[in-house]
Amino acid sequence: MTTALHSPTRRRNARLQEASLLEGPMLLLRSIRGVSSHRSLMWLACVPLAFLGLGLFNLSAHASDLPELNAAFLANNLWLLVATILVIFMNAGFAMVEAGMCRQKNAVNILAKNLFVFALAVTAYWFVGYSIMYGDPVAAGWLYFSGLFFDPSVTPELIGEAGLVPTVDFLFQAAFAGTAATIVSGLVAERVKFGEFVVFSLVLTAFIYPISGSWQWNGGWLSEAGFIDFAGSSIVHSVGAWAGLVGAMLLGPRIGKFVNGKAQAMPGHNMAIATLGALVLWIGWYGFNPGSQLAMDQWVPYVAVTTTLAAAGGAIGATIVSTLTSGKPDLTMIINGILAGLVSITAGCANLTMAGAWLAGLIGGVIVVFSVSALDSFGIDDPVGAFSVHGVCGIWGTLVIGLWGYDIQGSGVGLGLLTGGGIGQLWIQFVGCVAYALWTVVTCWVAWKVIGSFFGGIRVNEEEEIAGLDIGEHGMEAYPDFASSGN
């Protein structure tokens, strides 16, 4: 009988421990049952060789057709990939701002929505949204479509012209679609059903947002009319804000928000997280605006500077006004002031001077403070001020081009009413704002109503809302090891 001490298994383990780096991998393979024979090892070796051969075949099949990659092609695509990562990281900022400014009992629900909505947006946009937004004309100027999914092929012409690889362009545009859907989350926070919100996000990113986006960014009727929205103050931010506003109005205010017609303060549970979220969004905006240049050229840093100055102006404007109106500087208003400045410059970051960008942000910061109060007076419950930031300041950022904009990257001539361009540009900017508002309000009202009729409403019941959506919708708490207070 073989003793345990001298068993084959123990001898094998001893050899593995004493083996060199060159001998170790082969001994490890031989120790696995079924691959100890030379024939088994031969078949195992065929697996990586087969994958290697397949990869070389694909590379050779494509390499024979494509020219050598040039520096401009590589720089443009690398920059857009970096910008895409920054925009995707903005989802973390949105999640932290929204969660921090809402109550502890709903933190898990808010984080789940912000995390899951991006997965939904990418999927819906890949399935059909990208094709609708950047496809071939079906009704020229108004509707586009090129079939499901998109063609990732890279052509010699694209490399020669230093164009964007379709997959990189898709990722960048999908990140924008996700941003529009995430804005909705803030307006309907603390009372919307998770599943119904998920369905609405799919409809928004697959159809509503892509159709309206094509009007400008795929040579549609607004683009032909001369409308300017460089990175999406209207196309992304106001569309998301209008979609959320419709949902907020259909849902009604949170329990306890209005008493005898007067708005009651419902403080957020974690201002540290909200502040960190604002800084994450500020950094992410360097992908949003400079990335919309869609190339690595001399104008990328210029757009980054106008973006920075507008954010700074927004913070200053909101801080001054909140201090004058409430007696003390309000941190939530500083946060919203920064975001208001960023939204205010998103449309005109390539068409405003540096001074004009700072002033646009400053006014955006002032506007957001009064807008938050105005929504309360109208009886509309916007837990984080999302409509004031993305909707009202999105409109302001679009209109400001018609006031003091310039054709900075072109002839340099003034476009705005105050810079010698007349009223024409201001008028088309106004038409664009109205078009996006009407389209989004009508389509989203229909979407919310249809979803509600199918699923028995879009709002959680009273008991669930009082207890918190974390338990009712997800069966967990954000901070289970800490005593709950202030809910």
Side-chain angles (χ1 to χ4, degrees), residues 111-179:
L111 295 172
K113 284 190 302 176
N114 280 270
L115 189 61
F116 192 50
V117 74
F118 182 69
L120 293 171
V122 170
T123 301
Y125 201 70
W126 165 66
F127 188 78
V128 69
Y130 184 76
S131 177
I132 291 175
M133 193 160 175
Y134 293 102
D136 300 322
V138 175
W142 297 89
L143 184 63
Y144 300 81
F145 187 62
S146 295
L148 301 180
F149 310 107
F150 71 98
D151 183 5
S153 301
V154 179
T155 64
E157 292 77 18
L158 187 147
I159 295 175
E161 296 170 2
L164 297 174
V165 171
T167 46
V168 172
D169 184 56
F170 163 77
L171 279 177
F172 186 68
Q173 303 300 336
F176 274 51
T179 299

Side-chain angles (χ1 to χ4, degrees), residues 320-401:
I320 291 173
V321 174
S322 69
T323 303
L324 293 175
T325 55
S326 65
K328 294 181 179 180
D330 186 336
L331 176 58
T332 63
M333 286 303 169
I334 297 174
I335 291 171
N336 278 336
I338 292 171
L339 302 182
L342 290 165
V343 173
S344 297
I345 195 59
T346 297
C349 52
N351 294 97
L352 297 181
T353 63
M354 293 184 184
W358 184 86
L359 183 59
L362 179 78
I363 295 174
V366 173
I367 289 173
V368 78
V369 177
F370 291 112
S371 177
V372 168
S373 298
L375 252 66
D376 283 344
S377 66
F378 293 147
I380 299 172
D381 186 8
D382 181 359
V384 300
F387 184 77
S388 298
V389 169
H390 301 280
V392 177
C393 290
I395 293 171
W396 161 244
T398 305
L399 293 177
V400 72
I401 300 170

Side-chain angles (χ1 to χ4, degrees), residues 80-441:
L80 197 67
L81 183 59
V82 171
T84 299
I85 294 169
L86 288 172
V87 177
I88 292 173
F89 191 54
M90 289 173 71
N91 286 278
F94 281 120
M96 287 187 285
V97 168
E98 186 182 342
M101 287 191 175
C102 290
R103 290 168 294 179
Q104 175 181 323
K105 63 183 180 181
N106 298 309
V108 168
N109 177 258
I110 289 166
L111 295 172
K113 284 190 302 176
N114 280 270
L115 189 61
F116 192 50
V117 74
F118 182 69
L120 293 171
V122 170
T123 301
Y125 201 70
W126 165 66
F127 188 78
V128 69
Y130 184 76
S131 177
I132 291 175
M133 193 160 175
Y134 293 102
D136 300 322
V138 175
W142 297 89
L143 184 63
Y144 300 81
F145 187 62
S146 295
L148 301 180
F149 310 107
F150 71 98
D151 183 5
S153 301
V154 179
T155 64
E157 292 77 18
L158 187 147
I159 295 175
E161 296 170 2
L164 297 174
V165 171
T167 46
V168 172
D169 184 56
F170 163 77
L171 279 177
F172 186 68
Q173 303 300 336
F176 274 51
T179 299
T182 303
I183 293 168
V184 179
S185 177
L187 275 142
V188 299
E190 301 199 285
R191 61 217 193 269
V192 72
K193 292 179 180 177
F194 183 80
E196 284 70 0
F197 173 77
V198 162
V199 175
F200 177 79
S201 298
L202 285 170
V203 175
L204 179 68
T205 52
F207 303 105
I208 296 173
Y209 165 76
I211 290 174
S212 60
S214 70
W215 297 347
Q216 170 66 12
W217 288 341
N218 195 25
W221 69 275
L222 278 174
S223 176
E224 291 293 325
F227 180 72
I228 297 174
D229 190 351
F230 187 80
S233 284
S234 281
I235 298 169
V236 179
H237 292 278
S238 75
V239 165
W242 285 114
L245 183 68
V246 174
M249 294 178 71
L250 290 174
L251 284 165
R254 292 167 292 174
I255 296 171
K257 176 61 181 177
F258 296 100
V259 177
N260 298 324
K262 185 177 180 180
Q264 305 298 308
M266 302 181 84
H269 82 284
N270 196 327
M271 287 298 101
I273 286 180
T275 302
L276 180 60
L279 291 170
V280 169
L281 286 170
W282 191 338
I283 293 170
W285 235 282
Y286 293 117
F288 210 95
N289 287 1
S292 294
Q293 188 69 28
L294 301 180
M296 186 62 240
D297 59 21
Q298 73 274 23
W299 293 110
V300 168
Y302 182 88
V303 172
V305 170
T306 57
T307 299
T308 306
L309 291 172
I316 293 169
T319 304
I320 291 173
V321 174
S322 69
T323 303
L324 293 175
T325 55
S326 65
K328 294 181 179 180
D330 186 336
L331 176 58
T332 63
M333 286 303 169
I334 297 174
I335 291 171
N336 278 336
I338 292 171
L339 302 182
L342 290 165
V343 173
S344 297
I345 195 59
T346 297
C349 52
N351 294 97
L352 297 181
T353 63
M354 293 184 184
W358 184 86
L359 183 59
L362 179 78
I363 295 174
V366 173
I367 289 173
V368 78
V369 177
F370 291 112
S371 177
V372 168
S373 298
L375 252 66
D376 283 344
S377 66
F378 293 147
I380 299 172
D381 186 8
D382 181 359
V384 300
F387 184 77
S388 298
V389 169
H390 301 280
V392 177
C393 290
I395 293 171
W396 161 244
T398 305
L399 293 177
V400 72
I401 300 170
L403 292 175
W404 56 76
Y406 288 87
D407 184 17
I408 289 177
Q409 296 189 21
S411 62
V413 300
L415 300 173
L417 180 64
L418 304 179
T419 53
I423 200 172
Q425 190 65 52
L426 181 60
W427 170 249
I428 189 56
Q429 297 299 108
F430 173 77
V431 169
C433 290
V434 172
Y436 282 113
L438 289 175
W439 164 258
T440 311
V441 168

